[in-house]
Amino acid sequence: MTSARQIELVCPAGSLPALKTAVDHGADCVYLGFKDATNARNFSGLNFDDKALGEGVRYAHDRGRKVLLALNTYPQTDNWQRWTGAVDRAAAFGMDAVILADPGLMAYARRVHPDLRLHLSVQGSATSYDAINFYHRHFGISRAVLPRVLSLAQVEQVIANTPVEIEVFGFGGLCVMVEGRCALSAYATGESPNCNGACSPGKHVRWEQTPKGMETRLGGILIDRFADGERAGYPTLCKGRFDVNGETYYAIEEPTSLNTLELLPELARVGVRAIKIEGRQRSPAYVAQVTQVWRAAIDRLLDDPQPFRVDPAWMNALNKNSEGQSHTLGAYYRPWK
Amino acid sequence: MKLALGPLLYYWPRQSTLAFYADMADSPVDIVYLGETVCSRRHELRLPDWIEIAEMLAGAGKDVVLSSQVLVESESDLKTLRRIVANGTFRVEANDMGAVELLTSGDAPVTNWIAGPTLNIFNPVTLGMFADLGATRWVAPPEMSRKQIAELRHGLGRDMETEIFAHGRLPLAYSARCFTARHFNLQKDTCEFRCLQFADGIPLKTREGEPFLTLNGIQTQSAHVHTLLADLPAVVADGIDILRISPQGEHTAEIVDLFRRAVDGLIPPMDALTDALPLLPDEPCNGFWHGRPGVEQFVTL
């Protein structure tokens, strides 16, 4: 069992204002990325240059919070130096940890910066303790972020069989595919989360009002069509409506967010050490509201001797920040599978 | 250049599967990858059955490899993985890092294993590490381009067998969710094994009726069939060692023959592609090889 005091709340920072907001609203850690393909939220207008990073690290460290740097895409032969350079910058800026996926890059970080704390990214697709222990044995990783595929009992099994701290996703946009094992975006656009740090990137998106309704396309492929009055969502490839055997429906996943707030006591009981909030691409307002709710919930779990109870106002606030205004327990709920 | 038959990604009835591999014993493939890599609920054949097929194919002169499951979730998945790793006879293709750990840790690490296409090997430092740990062959991730593969091999600075995904619907994604069960409003735990009815998976089309993806249980594939028949001159020039052909519902043996004859220079690659077209379950594509969206088709003359 992890006491709530030991559960770190890890919040997204796509910008300096979002970082400050997360810290002000109770994040224990913020995670962020550089302005390039070295991280899995490589979107224009997002992320940190050196100036913003310096100020952000100071702001968090002055208040006793940690800063984690996501370097969780896979470097190729011709851009290898950009990724190792990013590891060097992370060390120079005094990051509390770097979140990596590529074993080669981990070997580099371990060799050149032996004191730099390493976390295994969700993009590493490690779903078993054997997989996680591989990274521990070779690179001494301190923490692993689990892909959103395991049940609670399976998470418990992982924790019981590894010395590595386990972090899970608590809230936010839901990848229905195993992270690090999805090339759907590459198939449609040539750009993938693994190699380019972006899924369904904006420059390949087309919105088009037609007589049949608003059509959204990715790389020319029709992802969805919306009737008048329907709210047209961003054409994330796996969240479109498609035709399977003459039936048109969300064949892969509805636009929805993961929300595991009601499982918080169980996550603590099985020994989860950190809860990650998704959403570096979201606004500081999102970061403020979601951070505040999760801070309150973790504090209640710790301080209130009564059995944990989810405040309806919390769910309300989270639902307002959910994709499609709806949420799911994802793989923690067997029928979802 | 050798031809490999990739692991069967679909779920076929037992008799069809046995008949398929009996045919393959007589086909000009050099290497055969065997085992269930997609879904642990599929059990028309269990590991001892796969081993039996492996022995039959080895007896027919094939180099046989046992492939591990890509997405490992349960303790029972891990048990199967341990039995595959400890099989003692056949080489193993590691398709997740748990398999790599089991192969390379302990008192007697296995040498001479194969680093599968889902290990996300994108640079020579990572591949070199796997080579140091006993991998003797690697299968490039299907999304890698010709240029990226060539640069990686050059950067590796040593010889290692390279295999590329040369033919078949592209395995693009894996999930905890089963999309076939979802289509039938069933839960994965009680899926009624609907995959058995679809020898080539279930086609998914856009709302304009364009073939886009293929639902294959927890795996999502392309609708279009990635094929490098027309690109063989470049593949040969680059010195790729092994071409992987992924089994399809019908005509796999004819596809294998076309590849063999085209590789051996008995028919021009473009003619091989033309001959292959009626044998494909959908349109061809080869964009990934050209560093483009995978769905695109380039004909390079």
Side-chain angles (χ1 to χ4, degrees):
Chain A
M1 164 120 193
T2 316
S3 87
R5 190 66 80 199
Q6 290 172 289
I7 292 192
E8 282 188 345
L9 179 59
V10 183
C11 294
S15 65
L16 186 57
L19 180 150
K20 291 181 176 175
T21 304
V23 168
D24 293 347
H25 288 78
D28 297 305
C29 311
V30 292
Y31 66 102
L32 45 78
F34 291 131
K35 280 184 174 296
D36 60 23
T38 58
N39 76 93
R41 289 289 183 280
N42 177 24
F43 300 150
S44 66
L46 274 196
N47 297 322
F48 286 71
D49 58 21
D50 284 358
K51 181 167 172 288
L53 188 61
E55 191 180 337
V57 171
R58 252 194 323 278
Y59 191 87
H61 283 176
D62 284 352
R63 288 156 184 80
R65 317 303 170 80
K66 296 174 188 164
V67 184
L68 317 178
L69 185 85
L71 285 170
N72 53 351
T73 46
Y74 289 87
Q76 306 270 346
T77 313
D78 68 345
N79 58 28
W80 172 254
Q81 267 85 17
R82 180 188 281 261
W83 268 253
T84 54
V87 172
D88 297 341
R89 277 163 76 201
F93 273 100
M95 289 293 155
D96 297 283
V98 285
I99 309 169
L100 306 179
D102 183 62
L105 197 61
M106 280 196 186
Y108 173 85
R110 182 48 68 233
R111 180 169 56 81
V112 179
H113 307 285
D115 297 328
L116 187 58
R117 185 178 152 101
L118 305 184
H119 291 189
L120 173 63
S121 168
V122 71
Q123 295 296 121
S125 320
T127 55
S128 71
Y129 52 84
D130 283 320
I132 291 165
N133 289 342
F134 173 86
Y135 297 94
H136 183 256
R137 207 156 59 82
H138 291 282
F139 317 115
I141 60 164
S142 305
R143 180 180 294 177
V145 186
L146 291 183
R148 285 163 275 193
V149 299
L150 300 182
S151 68
L152 199 62
Q154 288 166 346
V155 173
E156 188 170 15
Q157 188 70 17
V158 169
I159 291 171
N161 289 283
T162 180
V164 175
E165 294 175 10
I166 295 301
E167 176 172 319
V168 299
F169 277 86
F171 181 83
L174 176 69
C175 276
V176 66
M177 302 305 179
V178 185
E179 296 89 339
R181 292 260 172 74
C182 182
L184 290 176
S185 178
Y187 181 66
T189 72
E191 294 187 47
S192 68
N194 271 352
C195 300
N196 310 90
C199 170
S200 310
K203 66 176 177 219
H204 298 276
V205 167
R206 225 166 63 221
W207 304 76
E208 211 169 23
Q209 189 65 53
T210 75
K212 290 179 176 167
M214 170 65 84
E215 294 186 341
T216 56
R217 288 175 190 274
L218 186 69
I221 296 164
L222 184 65
I223 302 299
D224 211 342
R225 180 187 289 145
F226 301 89
D228 293 346
E230 253 188 320
R231 192 167 164 273
Y234 187 89
T236 303
L237 200 151
C238 60
K239 294 181 178 174
R241 278 176 289 197
F242 301 104
D243 173 349
V244 183
N245 284 336
E247 196 187 332
T248 300
Y249 65 111
Y250 292 108
I252 300 172
E253 175 66 310
E254 293 89 0
T256 185
S257 285
L258 178 75
N259 182 2
T260 67
L261 194 66
E262 63 187 85
L263 292 181
L264 183 57
E266 284 295 288
L267 295 172
R269 182 185 63 76
V270 304
V272 165
R273 291 293 298 274
I275 304 268
K276 173 164 252 159
I277 307 299
E278 187 276 344
R280 284 193 283 137
Q281 72 286 10
R282 305 288 298 262
S283 67
Y286 163 95
V287 172
Q289 290 170 44
V290 177
T291 303
Q292 196 161 29
V293 166
W294 278 85
R295 179 79 269 153
I298 292 173
D299 288 349
R300 176 179 288 181
L301 183 67
L302 173 73
D303 298 328
D304 193 335
Q306 303 297 318
F308 180 78
R309 190 175 45 79
V310 172
D311 190 330
W314 295 345
M315 280 305 197
N316 222 351
L318 292 181
N319 276 343
K320 277 188 201 145
N321 286 288
S322 292
E323 206 180 330
Q325 280 72 51
S326 75
H327 71 259
T328 170
L329 284 171
Y332 292 112
Y333 178 58
R334 281 207 80 81
W336 178 86
K337 295 187 176 182
Chain B
M1 191 180 320
K2 291 180 182 171
L3 298 184
L5 187 69
L8 172 61
L9 303 178
Y10 306 110
Y11 189 34
W12 295 345
R14 181 184 176 84
Q15 288 312 321
S16 317
T17 310
L18 295 175
F20 173 76
Y21 284 110
D23 274 359
M24 286 300 129
D26 302 326
S27 83
V29 288
D30 305 285
I31 303 163
V32 183
Y33 291 84
L34 293 176
E36 178 54 54
T37 60
V38 174
C39 176
S40 55
R41 285 182 50 75
R42 298 174 172 182
H43 55 237
E44 287 280 302
L45 276 79
R46 297 181 187 273
L47 187 56
D49 301 313
W50 287 113
I51 303 263
E52 215 167 287
I53 297 174
E55 284 163 351
M56 179 274 289
L57 288 168
K62 309 300 183 195
D63 171 11
V64 179
V65 179
L66 298 180
S67 294
S68 77
Q69 194 167 298
V70 173
L71 173 56
V72 172
E73 293 175 300
S74 67
E75 201 57 34
S76 122
D77 292 347
L78 283 174
K79 268 187 205 136
T80 306
L81 186 55
R82 291 196 179 98
R83 285 162 60 212
I84 291 171
V85 167
N87 83 85
T89 306
F90 300 104
R91 286 201 283 168
V92 174
E93 177 187 58
N95 284 319
D96 97 313
M97 218 58 98
V100 177
E101 173 68 3
L102 291 172
L103 284 162
T104 59
S105 62
D107 297 335
V110 175
T111 51
N112 202 8
W113 52 279
I114 291 116
T118 46
L119 289 187
N120 283 337
I121 298 166
F122 287 107
N123 61 69
V125 179
T126 294
L127 182 55
M129 178 182 172
F130 287 133
D132 290 342
L133 290 171
T136 49
R137 177 190 301 163
W138 73 294
V139 189
E143 66 177 296
M144 272 183 107
S145 68
R146 175 188 184 189
K147 174 171 169 286
Q148 289 168 329
I149 292 168
E151 287 172 352
L152 192 159
R153 295 174 76 207
H154 183 254
L156 186 64
R158 55 175 137 169
D159 274 344
M160 187 173 183
E161 271 189 324
T162 298
E163 178 170 331
I164 61 172
F165 190 91
H167 183 94
R169 283 182 157 150
L170 291 156
L172 293 173
Y174 298 81
S175 176
R177 168 177 278 179
C178 175
F179 305 107
T180 301
R182 178 178 171 83
H183 176 65
F184 292 104
N185 293 313
L186 295 167
Q187 292 179 15
K188 186 163 93 176
D189 290 342
T190 50
C191 68
E192 300 172 6
F193 307 106
R194 294 294 183 105
C195 286
L196 280 170
Q197 299 166 15
F198 303 94
D200 278 310
I202 306 178
L204 175 151
K205 296 175 182 170
T206 69
R207 298 178 74 171
E208 305 177 301
E210 287 296 319
F212 179 31
L213 300 172
T214 301
L215 305 180
N216 176 37
I218 67 145
Q219 183 189 59
T220 305
Q221 304 178 338
S222 61
H224 290 198
V225 182
H226 175 83
T227 186
L228 298 185
L229 275 171
D231 299 288
L232 281 176
V235 173
V236 171
D238 286 5
I240 299 292
D241 301 290
I242 302 164
L243 301 181
R244 173 171 294 201
I245 296 166
S246 192
Q248 51 182 52
E250 289 182 309
H251 309 303
T252 306
E254 291 139 279
I255 297 290
V256 169
D257 282 338
L258 281 171
F259 265 92
R260 186 73 269 164
R261 282 157 52 211
V263 167
D264 292 346
L266 301 177
I267 42 169
M270 278 311 297
D271 292 0
L273 177 63
T274 308
D275 290 353
L277 290 180
L279 308 174
L280 306 185
D282 213 310
E283 298 289 303
C285 66
N286 62 358
F288 279 150
W289 176 252
H290 295 271
R292 302 282 307 164
V295 65
E296 292 182 4
Q297 168 66 13
F298 279 78
V299 173
T300 42
L301 285 165

